[in-house]
Every structure is written in C-alpha cells, then in structure tokens.
Amino acid sequence: MAANVYASATDGGSGGDSAQTRSGTGVRTAGSTIDCPDVGSRLTSVPEQARGEVDKELALLDEQIAKAYQRLSESAQQVRQDSGFADSAIMNPLKDKRAATLERIAIAIDRVGDRPEGLDALAACTVRDSGNQAPAQGEGQGGDGDQQPGQEQRQGQDGQEQGDGQGQGGQGSNGGQAGNGPVAADFAPITSVQPNAGTPRQGTKASRGSFVTDCGVNENGLFNSDNIIAAPGVTNGAHHFHDYVGNQANNAFASDQDLANAETSCVDQGDKSSYYWPVLRLQNGSQEQDANSPGGGIEGNAGEIVTPKQVTLTFVGNPRGKVTAMPRLLRIITGDAKSFVNGPANANASWSCTGFEDRQLKDKYPLCPQGSDVVRTFKFQSCWDGRNIDSANHRTHVAFTDAAGNCPSGFRPIPQLVQRIVYDVDAPSLEDGGRTTPLFAVDSFPEQLHKPVTDHGDFINVFDEKLMEEMADCINDGRKCGAGAGAEPGDKPEEEPQEQPTKAPEEPTKAPEAPQEQPTRTPGAPQDGNAGGKPGDTGDGDGGKGEAAKPPATNKPAPEPEQPQQDGSATAAPRTGEPEVFATPTPEGGTANAGEQGGSQDDAGEDTDGLGQSQAVGTATSAAPTPSLPSRTEPQAVGSGGLADTGAQLWPAAAGAVLVIAGFVVLRRVRRG
C-alpha cells in the first residue's frame, strides 16, 4: 500500500503515528479513521472543458471514503474476530473503487489536454489511529498511552456507552453523539492560551479602511450539505451541513445566473454574495431534522444545530498598499475540511472567546469562562492572480500575504474578508463526557471526526460591481463604510421619521396646518423582499414575486408614495419586494447548470460492497425546511378610519378654531374700550 505523505496523527492530539496503528491488520475500529491521499489538492491544472466531469469524480471519491468509514465503524466485532477483515472487506475494495475513479479522471483530462501522471499511486488508503479511543476493558489510565481526559468516566457506565452511537446523550467510543467525535482532548481553556494574535505592521501606503456588510445570522434556517464551489452539480457533495447567509439560492445546481437573480439576506441589497460555513452542533442527544439524512445524522453529523448569536462580515485593506476590487463571481475557500488527515498546511480557522480574542486556538475548541461566548474567525485569502475567478483545486487563483503583508509575485491585493461568528454555548463538562453540559463541534466529513482544525469558510462574490468599486475606494481612502458604519456607500437606509405631534400656534389668528399623513404599511409584510422567511417567500401570498404591500382602502385622500430608499448603489431606486438584479453572462468554467443530470458509474455499473456509485451525483438537492420568521422591521400601525383615528387628526383643527374665535372676541372688546 502506498504511503500517504499527508498522514499526521499529531494533528488532533493523538500521541504517535506508528506502523502498527497505520496498518489495516489488527487495528481496533474504536478510535480509528481512514486516511486517503487528497486527490483534489494535487490537481492544480485541469482544462476548463474537463472540470465538470472531474469535479463529479472527485465528489465520488469523497463518497467512497465516507461509506468505507461507516463500514469500518460498524465492523468492530468482525475486526476482533478476524484480523484481516478490515483489509479484505473494506480497504482493498476501497482501493479498487478509487483506482477506477482515478482512471476516469485521467481519461477526462486526457481528452482535452495532457494526461496527468501518477494518479494511480493515490488509490491506496490506510486505517490510522485517530487518538480518540478509550482504553480497552481492564486497561488502566495511560495503559496504551492514548487515553483522553474524562474518558475514564464514560467507560462502562450502564454498560452501554461503548459503541453507542445514537443513544440519548450517549457518547460512542470515538466520542460525540454519533460516535465519531468530538472528545475531551479536542477542547482547551482559553485562559490557558497566551496572547498570540498579531497583525502585520501598517506601511505608509497601507489601505486602512473597512467595509461591513450585514447579512443576518441565518435566522431563515437555510441549510444544505452541498458545496457549489468544490462539488458543483453534486447533491451532498460536502457530506456535512452548512449555514448560509447572503445569497438565498445557494445549492449545488445554482448557476451564476441563479445567484445573480436570487434574493439576499443582506441589508444592502447590492450584496448578493454567498457566505457559508459548517454548522455548529450541540451533542445533546436531540434528533435534528436531518438526523436520518445524507450529510446529517447518518454521516455522523448529529445533534442540535446552533444558530449564531452574531455574524460580522468585514472587508479590510492591505498593510502595504491599495486594494483592487474583487472580480464578480470570485470564489474563495479558506481552511481545509480534510485537515485532520491532510495535515494543517491549509488549515485557517481560529477559535476564541469574547473578551479573550487576543488569544486564538487553531486545533482546539475553546472552553470559555462563564459569561463569555465562543468565537470562530476566518481571515480569507487577500491576494488574487488578476485572471481567474476559480481554479482546479480552488486555491491557486488566490493566496495569502506573507508575514509583512506582501502578496506573492504576480498577485494583487483585494479586500480581505474577515468572517467572525459568535455562539452562545456553554463550556462542556469534560469530566462526564458532556452529559451535564453537552459537547459542541462543527460538522465535518465523517472520517475527519469533527476536529476543530477541519473548520473552513466559503465565499462567492456576487456584489453589484458598482458597490464593489465603492468598497475598494472606501478601504483605500481609510474610511469605515457599509451597513452600520455611518452614512457611507452601502449603508442601510434610515427609517422614515415618525410623525411629530402638532404644536399649538403662537399667533392666535393663524390656524394650524393639518399634519401630513404617513404612508401605511401592512403589518408583518417583509420590507426587504424576503427578510426572515423561506427563500422566495414574501409573506403576502404573491408566489414569491415580491410585490410591495398595498395600503388598505380608506375614505381619506390617497397617501403620497414612499420616498425611494438608498441601497448602497450609485442611484437610488424604490424598494420593492424584488431587489434589482445585477446579472452577467455565465463565464467559461462557471458552475454546472441547474438540473444537470447524470453521474459516474464504476466499471461494473454496480455497488455490491457499498463503496461505489454515489447516490449524490446528479440528483436534485433539497434544503432542510426553513421556518417562516417575521420581518426584522417592526410593522407600523395601519389607519382604519375609526373614531380614534379620526379624532387624532381633527383635534388640532378644532383647537385652532377655538383660538381664532377667542382672538376675534378679544379684538372686539379692545375696539369697544
């Protein structure tokens, strides 16, 4: 079996990487995972014409690993009875399946370009020690050198915890509600971390401004286990669920045009970008709505999904020079969803706690003091090659600056997205395996065991091009712009002023003017098209067309129409339920068109051992149900023509009339005197 140069058992806290634990023979399934070479990262050059087919084959490789890991996890008894079972029944069939898939990738590339060399060497995988296992019965603390803190309390209680993957609150031998992580060793007190967060020194030509966009916290409940960047056209291509904010049409089959035409959860309707990341779950024994779904519970992503308390999306400048606007439909993945087995080279998530954000953890979840919230932060790549909006491995078209803030040769600075997500979750009780206060973890590929080092973020730029230019200018000018940053480009428009009470006239002979009537709004009607509801819902039964709410008929004069609201673009337009679309033709090499069918078949066309054809390839995706929520904007009172409403508008005129009459009486008496 070929050696995997990426394998590193130290990434997640395990103590060693011996040949004994890396061999399939004799390995215990408890505390084991499958380590395969990451083919996608090796394919740095794929012709545009072959990318769609290659992406689907890469997704099939992920499916094969997920099924092999599931079978390994379920085979503890067979492995104990037969030391060669893991190799013969799981690892060798997996190698054969991968070899066939890799050959199809080579053929697809060979049709339109140069055949890649050496792919066949990437077929073999290994079973490796995850570092999660509890000691076997009879072993004392430290008996095999890999016992984790708190696991001795889990061992043997009620006689059912070992191997219990889905019991109420039970933690399997590999940890976590579904038995594949996290474990106590995945956590560390933030107070034990020394301050380590630094920023490059700002040069004299630095672009010091910032632009903030407000896109909510996914209160719409938009989730799916697709990944339109890494696996376009493939349902469940991520094998774990994502939170989505911003663009509301993001699924595996969304075309560039679909993204441009979509609703957005962003306050500034000029920002239809897609921001997404793996959901965070509490391992509290609850059965989430995806408990029996691909990407959810059946792949080890179990427990209650936690809605973020706060999401901050900030674009910042470069410490050495001016930034250039991002190209439309630029795609960026930061971090590595497979870092546990690939190694930390591309890992880029940071974990901390509010009040302690000068201390950052890379490979541990933080234990926060009481009153402090969990914070996960992604600082995206901020250098662009000036040509491509994506690349074959989704990495080489963008890059990080060096320690001094300089971009690599041939790259130019672009605004850097800093994604900060805050959660109101308590520090878990490690001493009892999370029974008192549950463990938490991000969703992951099954074999990655929910390690914090696998956390990652994704971004697709669907900003209006004019607004993106304004963002770059704002940052280069050293200003603070965007939603909530003052009256700068991209700000949320201010609410209409409330009606002021009419003051009594100072001149007795001058009657007061009648107050101006405010336009009425229907209570509960979304003001921003799709705010707080399902994608496409408007709350008024118009089938998602987003017509503006009409005021009820009254016997009063028709109110004047609302004034156009600023949305951050160069020219203001009236706000309606359907925001303005800034569409561009789909470029070459774009995402697969919606509804694309067909998938890869293995050589025999069958899947007799459960490791072959992915159910995910070529089928339509379906997001988890999204609850309908009220609009963020508080509804204003609607005039109904009743007595209270009539009296409220007539009393100023009556008071004025009385004062006029009194004035005439006083004047007449003065003349008589």
Side-chain angles (χ1 to χ4, degrees), residues 186-515:
D186 292 326
F187 295 84
I190 194 65
T191 53
S192 68
V193 180
Q194 294 298 315
N196 56 8
T199 56
R201 188 173 181 179
Q202 299 271 324
T204 57
K205 297 181 179 179
S207 44
R208 295 181 171 86
S210 63
F211 183 99
V212 180
T213 186
D214 178 4
C215 301
V217 296
N218 195 23
E219 56 267 60
N220 294 349
L222 180 58
F223 311 106
N224 64 47
S225 57
D226 300 344
N227 192 325
I228 188 175
I229 298 178
V234 180
T235 292
N236 193 39
H239 295 270
H240 54 264
F241 269 64
H242 292 114
D243 270 311
Y244 290 91
V245 301
N247 201 288
Q248 298 292 286
N250 194 323
N251 62 51
F253 300 95
S255 67
D256 291 343
Q257 193 68 33
D258 293 331
L259 296 175
N261 293 341
E263 299 286 340
T264 178
S265 68
C266 299
V267 169
D268 192 325
Q269 296 291 292
D271 182 9
K272 294 187 179 183
S273 300
S274 181
Y275 308 85
Y276 59 105
W277 53 81
V279 299
L280 187 82
R281 295 185 194 250
L282 287 178
Q283 310 286 300
N284 57 4
S286 68
Q287 296 294 297
E288 192 59 271
Q289 56 191 352
D290 64 343
N292 298 309
S293 302
I298 65 173
E299 294 190 80
N301 295 307
E304 177 187 346
I305 294 175
V306 182
T307 299
K309 177 179 180 179
Q310 180 185 15
V311 173
T312 306
L313 306 170
T314 306
F315 294 85
V316 298
N318 179 276
R320 292 296 170 191
K322 305 298 184 182
V323 297
T324 187
M326 292 181 179
R328 189 167 171 82
L329 297 171
L330 176 70
R331 289 151 163 80
I332 307 179
I333 297 175
T334 197
D336 182 4
K338 302 173 184 176
S339 286
F340 180 56
V341 297
N342 283 353
N346 289 316
N348 190 41
S350 295
W351 292 85
S352 189
C353 304
T354 55
F356 297 88
E357 292 183 56
D358 59 340
R359 313 171 190 210
Q360 298 288 328
L361 290 162
K362 297 293 187 181
D363 59 353
K364 304 286 184 184
Y365 295 116
L367 297 173
C368 299
Q370 187 173 3
S372 177
D373 295 324
V374 171
V375 182
R376 58 197 285 211
T377 304
F378 306 101
K379 293 184 178 181
F380 282 66
Q381 294 90 316
S382 58
C383 301
W384 171 52
D385 68 5
R387 300 183 306 277
N388 302 296
I389 60 170
D390 200 0
S391 50
N393 63 0
H394 314 294
R395 295 190 184 278
T396 55
H397 64 298
V398 288
F400 292 99
T401 63
D402 62 18
N406 299 301
C407 284
S409 176
F411 284 72
R412 62 187 66 175
I414 55 175
Q416 182 182 36
L417 171 59
V418 179
Q419 203 164 262
R420 180 177 176 271
I421 311 166
V422 181
Y423 296 91
D424 183 9
V425 292
D426 295 329
S429 54
L430 302 183
E431 67 280 358
D432 62 2
R435 286 184 176 81
T436 303
T437 306
L439 306 173
F440 62 82
V442 294
D443 270 18
S444 72
F445 285 96
E447 75 282 358
Q448 301 297 317
L449 309 180
H450 303 283
K451 298 297 183 183
V453 74
T454 65
D455 199 10
H456 55 282
D458 301 77
F459 168 71
I460 304 175
N461 170 35
V462 199
F463 269 88
D464 166 38
E465 291 177 344
K466 178 72 172 180
L467 182 58
M468 174 55 69
E469 291 286 350
E470 292 178 2
M471 176 202 291
D473 290 343
C474 167
I475 292 173
N476 289 333
D477 292 344
R479 294 179 284 128
K480 293 183 178 180
C481 310
E488 296 286 355
D491 281 359
K492 179 180 178 181
E494 295 182 0
E495 296 292 334
E496 296 180 25
Q498 297 297 317
E499 182 178 314
Q500 298 295 326
T502 305
K503 295 182 180 180
E506 296 180 3
E507 295 292 334
T509 58
K510 185 177 181 181
E513 296 181 3

Side-chain angles (χ1 to χ4, degrees), residues 627-653:
S628 179
L629 297 177
S631 167
R632 292 188 201 173
T633 306
E634 291 293 331
Q636 298 185 5
V638 179
S640 60
L643 291 176
D645 183 79
T646 303
Q649 298 197 35
L650 291 182
W651 76 261

Side-chain angles (χ1 to χ4, degrees), residues 582-671:
F582 303 98
T584 57
T586 303
E588 290 187 5
T591 56
N593 290 333
E596 184 173 350
Q597 298 296 319
S600 305
Q601 297 288 336
D602 60 17
D603 295 337
E606 298 179 356
D607 183 22
T608 56
D609 57 10
L611 299 176
Q613 174 62 28
S614 165
Q615 301 177 29
V617 177
T619 57
T621 186
S622 59
T626 55
S628 179
L629 297 177
S631 167
R632 292 188 201 173
T633 306
E634 291 293 331
Q636 298 185 5
V638 179
S640 60
L643 291 176
D645 183 79
T646 303
Q649 298 197 35
L650 291 182
W651 76 261
V658 170
L659 291 173
V660 170
I661 294 171
F664 279 117
V665 171
V666 171
L667 182 60
R668 188 172 182 180
R669 288 183 178 178
V670 170
R671 287 180 177 177

